[in-house]
Amino acid sequence: MGKSAIEGSSNSYTDQTAAFDLPKGLGLAITANKSLLSQGDNVTYTVKASCDCQALTSISVVDTLSGNLAYVSSTGGSGSTYTAPAVHWDNNNFSAGETKTFTVTANVTGQYRALIP
């Protein structure tokens, strides 16, 4: 979710308003360790956030899991929290030129094809 996204009710993940804007100078890249998945597989997504501007403070990175993925673990940033269906890495500070890496591992609970190569 982008900078201007609206989380919605904590009781529902369907009332969110997604946005794909980022703070000026912050870039995101996401990769997956697998592209074709079968039920029972684990897949790890890696999100790299790069600050190509002046320092940024209190940045949140959020990765929302598909309905056929079950959260296993996450690492990176200033620590993560999982509130279904999203992993949150909140309150991250970036120095100018800094890149941070965030990962989330999930288990495939149904047929699924990763959209990330």
Side-chain angles (χ1 to χ4, degrees):
M1 299 207 342
K3 180 180 177 186
S4 62
I6 300 170
E7 186 173 335
S9 167
S10 62
N11 297 323
S12 172
Y13 66 89
T14 60
D15 65 346
Q16 298 173 354
T17 302
F20 300 98
D21 55 330
L22 298 171
K24 184 178 178 185
L26 185 66
L28 293 176
I30 184 167
T31 58
N33 69 334
K34 297 180 181 182
S35 59
L36 185 57
L37 306 172
S38 297
Q39 190 169 2
D41 285 351
N42 278 354
V43 59
T44 299
Y45 293 98
T46 301
V47 179
K48 291 194 176 198
S50 301
C51 178
D52 296 325
C53 60
Q54 63 187 7
L56 296 171
T57 59
S58 300
I59 299 297
S60 294
V61 175
V62 179
D63 191 0
T64 302
L65 298 179
S66 160
N68 46 2
L69 292 175
Y71 174 82
V72 174
S73 64
S74 53
T75 63
S78 57
S80 63
T81 57
Y82 175 69
T83 304
V87 181
H88 295 256
W89 295 272
D90 296 321
N91 299 314
N92 292 283
N93 298 321
F94 288 84
S95 302
E98 182 179 15
T99 297
K100 293 182 185 267
T101 301
F102 309 88
T103 64
V104 59
T105 300
N107 182 265
V108 180
T109 58
Q111 290 300 104
Y112 187 84
R113 180 172 171 82
L115 299 176
I116 310 296

